[in-house]
Amino acid sequence: MCWRSVRYLEGMDARARIDQLREELRAHNHRYYVLAEPSISDKEFDVLLKELADLEAAHPEFDDQSSPTRRVGGDLTDKFEKVAHRSPMLSLSNSYNAEEVAQWAERVQAGLPDEAVEFALELKYDGVAIALWYEGGALVRALTRGDGATGEDVRTNVATIRSLPLKLNDGAPDPLEIRGEIFFPWPGFEALNESRREAGEPEFANPRNTAAGTLKLQDSSVVATRPLDCMIYNVDAETMRALGVTSHSEAVRKAAEWGFKTPQGRALDVVKSVDEIMAAVAHWERARHDLDFAIDGLVVKVNRYDQQRRLGMTAKSPRWAIAYKFETEQATTKLKSVEFQVGRTGAVTPVAYLEEVLLCGTKVKRASLHNADQIAKLGLREGDMVVVEKGGEIIPKIVGVDASSASAADLFSPSIDFPSTCPECDTGLVRKEGEAQHYCPNNATCPAQVRGRINHFISRKAMNVDGLGKETVTQLVEAGLIRDVADLYSLRAEELLPLERMAQKSVDNLLAGLQKSKSVPFERVLFGLGIRHVGETVAKHLARSLVRLEAFKTATVEELMALEEIGPIVAESVVDQFLDETFLAMLDRLVAAGLQTEAVIQEPVGNALEGEVVVVSGVFETMSRDEAKAAVTNHGGRLVGSISSKTTLVLAGENMGPSKLQKAEKLGIPLVDEKTFLARLGLSE
Ligand code: IVH
């Protein structure tokens, strides 16, 4: 494949290419490490880095101490205390096929002539490296990789990770430095994105960047709401030798004894040949999709410490270990057009429409382009052959342009430019300082925002208005019959009947649906109002704590922050919203229409499920799924949406999906059927 950057190569001498590559790689390093916003895949980065290393080797006269080939990571941001690492945090050299693994194994064997070599195999967790410092058994420091020599102390944030011991078990060495990977497991990541979608905030692209971004948050109470995880994969060899431990696999077992979460029993395997390594690769290439966290490959390590020491390191990585990276799934297809969509908060998102292509087994027609910078950087034109990638991401993204393709767009096809005005209302777009996203500032009357707010209000998880769909909302807004959600409740049959496709029956259904929505509980009304950062769960907490709508008008940021699960961002957003005169006037009209403005507080009826984290799945004979869920919370249990290692019980009805069943079995989580469940709650006859 020929990337656009390769176009520059023609007619260029080695010096110029070296300079260009150094510049490009520095910029990518910065985006990756400092901004946590990479714009190319790891593999592309490796290809560029290798090209530079080869050119530098062929031209020692252009040597430069600060070349990206000479260092491990990137620059630092300046929010957290910077601390030097005790030993550099190296990275691993990568391999992508059996041949490269075999070549590495040969080099290892050449360095250890006539010795038997064992390899420890591990999953390569797709997260952020962390160096943990324990003194007197207590976690005192948690350093990010930073530039490899100096990291940032993010202990306050790391301390929120439940799987990480803050105090070590007896027998652990003191002091102790231990390293691992912090990552964001899929269930929590998907739940976070769902709540962001509901709250009208842009979704996060992938768990790795989100984990990196989360560790750098200034507010650790926000970090605590994000279920990060940490897996230990490296214990300082000197410390271990002093304990008489002679191999990596033994050290990992020890770390587990001290209280750490380790790969033990999951993927750590000790093998003796390249064939066995490749068999594990083949297995995990498929099995990775069943894990509840992202991996991007396997790591192969020479197991014995004495052998590791004799092999030593290069400036960048140890010779005794290598990463095997899975192919990120990519496909090339034609870019048909780009549409700029305006969300209910005014955020403008470019969406690429593609000729349908198969990626990771699913048909892809749309891809995200993130923001204006990315479009400009790729220099996109309609008709371009673009490379779409679905790595850890849920939504595929465009990562490059395949300029070599015969059907690539020529220079006369229209280039894609980010609009300067709102595609819906023509208001000039604004870009907030430090943000990549453009916004339409015309919140009050931009039709896209008006429609977006109303569609959110009537959606299933909010007011769930039967008989009213997106198309009708568009029709009503265009006809000038509704401008905000309160207008819905003054709609009259005689205004609706003249509209196209509005027969008497549809009008009756619509008005009945609106009437019925007046009994929807207050927490869902609150969610439906679309206050920024107030998703379904936050709305529930707020409604249960403040009880009455009136109380929101006088609540202060401090009062709100004192509530369970409410941080400063939510608190400020709520207070701002309830100071807005237009919003308050609209609320008055909703109250007058008779919507619920007070929460019905239900006391738990029992505590039979106290401490249980429960997933409800399938259908039941004597109750609906919602009733089953209500029974869980009414008896002290905590509901979660998907099965993870934290789940303690699965209430399994009929037709529970096979993948859920398998997952529960794999994690050893007990399945409880309807009858047993009701008996446990004392509800069976
Ligand atoms: S061993 C001397 N083991 O991958 C380097 N690294 O690309 C020791 N990673 O910096 C690293 N899973 O952040 C090792 N099982 C594993 C890993 C792992 C993920 C990360 C780590 C490392 C990067 C290298």
Side-chain angles (χ1 to χ4, degrees), residues 383-405:
D384 261 341
M385 293 305 285
V386 291
V387 182
V388 266
E389 180 175 299
K390 204 168 185 177
E393 293 78 19
I394 298 162
I395 315 155
K397 62 178 181 184
I398 292 184
V399 293
V401 177
D402 178 8
S404 69
S405 166

Side-chain angles (χ1 to χ4, degrees), residues 90-92 122-125 129 145 181 233 299 301 318:
L90 301 174
S91 67
L92 295 171
E122 273 169 16
L123 299 180
K124 188 171 185 312
Y125 308 98
R145 180 209 297 273
E181 194 87 350
Y233 55 63
V299 182
K301 300 171 182 176

